């Protein structure tokens, strides 16, 4: 039977895509969702900036398209090239603009018209895309503030708004904390008229808010977990946009992120020393030994707790740091991998010097060590203050490592508390404080001390399915809904 999704053409316009450029979960999603969509029959492609270093990462294997794009901005035209490459079967187009350089760090430290200009041009390139590729998508799937201006331009731009009938837009909010706010409100030289600067537009407390523009202008909005989709409509988690999100909640839907099960696979992962699955978990012990030796330790039977993630307030560092001494006091070993705020980095390194036998800290981004930690760890700590979806807990479960998480956002949607259900996969706590966190760790350690129970929890983790198979279908159905199918044959789908 032919796939109902076969005619749909989607262009993901994004600032990150694993493994070409990744800063966090957005990069993982753009690196795996288009692939899953293609398996459903959707013609899903990606438009990404050509960041410094990307060409090396693909060993120069990209073809320059013969036709140039011309991007109009500030009373001039920026010529640009698209480089076409293939990432695991997904066509990817890398945008190379004359006189404009994208930062190797992906995001600028400070947002202003200068630093945001490259992302604005990326948005314009989406609308010029078909001229260089002869391929015209039905839907622009945009991600967070850097590409929100695709939808905003189709609504307000002096020229591009004339194309609004041709495209539908889906905006995925990966993290509401980053909104793309700049001081300037006069974007006339970018083609955005001053009428767009009001409460029903880009204006935000006398500044310009790109994400707000995207929320208002997009045809559909998704967030990366169902729970986060309603949390962001509350004052506590709405980051100043709860009112706007509440107003537009009829086009807001939560769709849980998946992970790429062929990449994150304890049976085949080339970055771990031993392979295992739900039928034979014994080799996980080898991974544990290897991880311990990497930290300079021996396997003395104590549980290994891991933390992998950005060292940011959002991730709950304010309750993790004051808990470390107590965690180590329980006889656990703790391994931390992350980078971020200097204050947290320094505090962790100081503690590491104090407890070298039980605390290991690696500051930096280290893909290989992360795999080793997921495979060799026993429990993952994720005490996030808020968490749109969270991928680390999904990866941990895939590797039979039980997550201990605060019940917020996607963490609450994906982890089942093992004390309240026989199919439990981890341990949840609600209150954002050290006592509640330590109580959850205490419950996890009590289960750890009962080998049969612990074994069941690990097997439960290995059995749950957070691959893209379910969620990519939800996106596909959303696209169909957007394109007006099956109610009537949509003219756009015929092109
Ligand atoms: P974020 O809020 O950063 O998007 P997620 O949990 O959604 O958090 O995704 C984090 C992803 O980045 C996971 O794949 C995790 O393994 C990876 N990651 C985070 N920090 C590091 C690091 N320092 N080294 C290696 N991988 C990391």
């Amino acid at each position: 039977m032919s796939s109902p999704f076969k005619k749909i053409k989607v262009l993901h316009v994004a600032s990150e895509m694993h493994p070409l450029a990744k800063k966090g979960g957005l990069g993982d999603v753009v690196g795996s969702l288009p692939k899953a969509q293609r398996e459903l029959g959707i013609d899903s492609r990606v438009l990404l900036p050509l960041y410094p270093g990307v060409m090396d990462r693909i060993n120069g294997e990209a073809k320059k398209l013969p036709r140039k794009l011309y991007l109009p901005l500030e009373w001039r035209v920026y010529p640009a090239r698209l480089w076409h490459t293939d990432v695991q079967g997904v066509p990817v187009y890398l945008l190379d603009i004359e006189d404009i350089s994208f930062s190797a760090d992906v995001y600028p430290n400070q947002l202003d018209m200068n630093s945001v200009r490259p992302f604005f041009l990326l948005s314009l390139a989406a609308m010029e895309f078909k001229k260089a590729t002869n391929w015209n998508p039905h839907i622009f799937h945009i991600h967070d503030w850097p590409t929100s201006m695709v939808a905003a331009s189709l609504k307000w731009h002096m020229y591009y708004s004339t194309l609004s009938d041709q495209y539908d837009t889906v905006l995925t909010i990966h993290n509401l904390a980053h909104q793309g706010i700049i001081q300037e409100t006069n974007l006339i030289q970018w083609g955005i008229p001053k009428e767009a600067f009001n409460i029903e537009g880009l204006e935000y407390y006398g500044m310009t808010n790109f994400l707000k523009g995207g929320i208002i202008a997009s045809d559909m909005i998704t967030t990366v977990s169902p729970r986060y989709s309603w949390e962001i409509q509350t004052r506590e988690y709405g980051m100043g946009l709860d009112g706007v999100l509440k107003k537009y909640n009829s086009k807001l839907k939560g769709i849980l992120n998946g992970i790429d099960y062929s990449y994150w696979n304890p049976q085949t992962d080339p970055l771990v020393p031993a392979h295992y699955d739900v039928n034979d978990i014994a080799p996980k012990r080898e991974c544990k030994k290897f991880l311990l030796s990497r930290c300079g330790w021996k396997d003395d039977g104590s549980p290994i707790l891991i933390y992998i993630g950005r060292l940011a307030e959002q991730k709950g560092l304010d309750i993790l740091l004051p808990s470390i001494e107590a965690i180590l006091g329980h006889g656990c070993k703790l391994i931390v991998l992350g980078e971020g705020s200097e204050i947290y980095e320094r505090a962790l390194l100081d503690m590491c010097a104090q407890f070298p036998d039980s605390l290991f800290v690696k500051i930096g981004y280290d893909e290989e060590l992360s795999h080793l930690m997921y495979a060799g760890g026993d429990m993952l700590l994720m005490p996030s203050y808020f968490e749109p979806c969270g991928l680390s807990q999904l990866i941990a479960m895939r590797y039979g490592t039980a997550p201990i998480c605060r019940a917020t956002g996607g963490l609450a949607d994906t982890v089942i508390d093992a004390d309240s259900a026989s199919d439990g996969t981890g341990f949840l706590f609600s209150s954002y404080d050290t006592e509640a966190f330590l109580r959850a760790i205490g419950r996890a350690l009590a289960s750890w001390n009962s080998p049969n129970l612990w074994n069941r929890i690990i097997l439960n983790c290995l059995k749950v399915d957070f691959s893209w198979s379910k969620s990519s279908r939800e996106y596909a159905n959303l696209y169909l809904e957007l394109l007006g199918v099956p109610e009537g044959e949509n003219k756009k789908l015929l092109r």
Side-chain angles (χ1 to χ4, degrees):
M1 206 178 73
S2 93
S3 159
F5 312 125
K6 223 165 181 145
K7 285 183 185 160
I8 306 174
K9 291 189 272 184
V10 179
L11 182 66
H12 288 267
V13 191
S15 52
E16 301 179 39
M17 178 189 190
H18 178 76
L20 306 191
K22 173 176 151 180
K23 285 282 150 185
L26 193 168
D28 283 296
V29 171
V30 180
S32 52
L33 174 62
K35 185 175 149 207
Q37 291 180 328
R38 291 187 76 81
E39 280 159 18
L40 290 179
I42 297 173
D43 189 353
S44 182
R45 306 185 184 197
V46 179
L47 172 63
L48 185 81
L50 179 64
Y51 296 106
V54 167
M55 243 351 147
D56 293 339
R57 262 163 249 149
I58 52 172
N59 300 319
E61 281 177 22
K63 242 179 38 206
K64 195 193 307 186
L65 297 191
R67 270 199 253 159
K68 280 190 181 178
L69 291 181
Y70 296 94
L71 311 172
L73 198 82
E74 289 155 353
W75 324 120
R76 63 166 283 192
V77 161
Y78 287 85
R81 288 281 189 190
L82 289 177
W83 293 82
H84 181 204
T85 187
D86 181 288
V87 178
Q88 294 181 61
V90 177
V92 177
Y93 299 85
L94 302 164
L95 179 68
D96 185 7
I97 311 171
E98 272 176 39
D99 298 337
I100 292 287
S101 43
F102 285 98
S103 157
D105 290 337
V106 179
Y107 301 112
N109 284 332
Q110 204 156 356
L111 298 190
D112 53 36
M113 270 179 96
N114 274 334
S115 61
V116 159
R117 186 183 290 108
F119 288 122
F120 189 72
L121 286 163
L122 171 68
S123 300
L124 298 189
M127 288 167 289
E128 293 289 335
F129 189 76
K130 72 165 189 214
K131 293 184 187 158
T133 58
N134 270 331
W135 184 83
N136 201 13
H138 304 110
I139 293 170
F140 290 124
H141 194 145
I142 57 182
H143 299 267
D144 280 350
W145 73 266
T147 50
S148 276
M149 288 308 282
V150 174
S153 299
L154 286 170
K155 187 173 176 70
W156 291 296
H157 192 279
M158 288 180 213
Y159 164 60
Y160 289 107
S161 58
T162 61
L163 305 183
S164 64
D165 291 352
Q166 292 187 30
Y167 301 106
D168 287 307
T169 47
V170 175
L171 164 67
T172 294
I173 300 176
H174 297 260
N175 193 335
L176 195 63
H178 310 294
Q179 300 180 3
I181 298 173
I182 57 172
Q183 294 290 333
E184 294 84 348
T185 53
N186 182 1
L187 298 189
I188 195 90
Q189 65 273 45
W190 284 11
I192 307 292
K194 70 173 188 322
E195 294 75 59
F197 289 91
N198 56 47
I199 193 157
E200 267 307 300
L202 291 155
E203 193 274 335
Y204 182 76
Y205 297 104
M207 296 174 283
T208 297
N209 185 321
F210 283 37
L211 187 69
K212 181 186 170 215
I215 290 169
I216 292 170
S218 295
D219 296 306
M220 285 279 199
I221 310 161
T222 67
T223 60
V224 289
S225 70
R227 174 141 164 171
Y228 191 60
S229 74
W230 61 259
E231 279 180 350
I232 56 177
Q233 296 177 53
T234 65
R235 229 188 143 81
E236 190 180 358
Y237 294 104
M239 305 267 174
L241 290 180
D242 40 300
V244 184
L245 285 158
K246 212 186 269 171
K247 178 162 181 194
Y248 290 96
N249 67 10
S250 60
K251 59 175 184 179
L252 172 63
K253 189 175 162 71
I255 301 179
L256 203 60
N257 277 343
I259 52 171
D260 183 343
Y261 264 37
S262 58
Y263 180 72
W264 298 108
N265 186 352
Q267 270 180 299
T268 56
D269 191 335
L271 299 177
V272 304
H275 295 127
Y276 56 94
D277 64 11
V278 69
N279 299 311
D280 179 19
I281 52 172
K284 187 170 165 67
R285 189 95 207 178
E286 287 305 305
C287 300
K288 182 168 177 170
K289 282 202 178 112
F290 195 83
L291 173 63
L292 286 165
S293 69
R294 181 79 181 261
C295 303
W297 298 331
K298 286 216 164 56
D299 187 1
D300 58 6
S302 48
I304 301 185
L305 278 55
I306 59 169
Y307 173 92
I308 302 173
R310 289 182 289 118
L311 301 177
E313 202 182 346
Q314 173 205 332
K315 297 288 175 185
L317 269 291
D318 292 330
I319 59 173
L320 176 64
L321 283 170
S323 306
I324 289 180
E325 223 174 312
I327 292 170
L328 304 180
H330 284 306
C332 304
K333 295 206 183 316
L334 174 63
I335 305 173
V336 178
L337 167 63
E339 60 184 350
S341 150
E342 224 181 294
I343 298 173
Y344 297 135
E345 287 183 358
R346 197 163 318 131
L348 280 164
L349 289 173
D350 285 350
M351 292 196 82
C352 189
Q354 215 182 324
F355 303 103
D357 298 331
S358 46
L359 174 63
F360 181 90
V361 174
K362 162 100 192 256
I363 302 295
Y365 191 92
D366 189 333
E367 188 78 14
E368 192 204 342
L369 180 60
S370 78
H371 285 242
L372 204 53
M373 287 168 68
Y374 286 123
D378 293 306
M379 303 167 200
L380 171 94
L381 302 180
M382 230 170 148
S384 306
Y385 175 62
F386 69 92
E387 196 58 75
C389 175
L391 297 176
S392 298
Q393 85 282 12
L394 304 184
I395 303 169
M397 288 189 274
R398 175 78 170 140
Y399 283 77
T401 298
I404 301 173
C405 306
R406 181 152 177 268
T408 182
L411 299 175
D413 283 342
T414 56
V415 176
I416 302 170
D417 194 279
D419 276 343
S420 8
S422 58
D423 59 350
T425 50
F427 297 85
L428 292 168
F429 65 99
S430 295
S431 181
Y432 188 68
D433 57 56
T434 325
E435 291 73 33
F437 181 37
L438 285 171
R439 266 200 305 276
I441 294 174
R443 290 194 292 119
L445 293 176
S447 301
W448 162 269
N449 285 324
S450 160
N452 285 343
L453 175 57
W454 191 255
N455 211 37
R456 195 179 72 207
I457 294 169
I458 295 313
L459 292 179
N460 287 343
C461 285
L462 289 167
K463 278 185 208 154
V464 287
D465 181 0
F466 290 108
S467 67
W468 274 109
S469 58
K470 183 164 169 277
S471 298
S472 64
R473 258 173 202 282
E474 285 192 55
Y475 275 111
N477 285 324
L478 183 129
Y479 294 159
L480 281 185
E481 196 186 317
L482 199 56
L483 292 166
V485 179
E487 283 86 16
E489 190 61 49
N490 185 296
K491 283 205 198 91
K492 272 183 213 148
L493 280 183
L494 298 175
R495 74 165 184 245

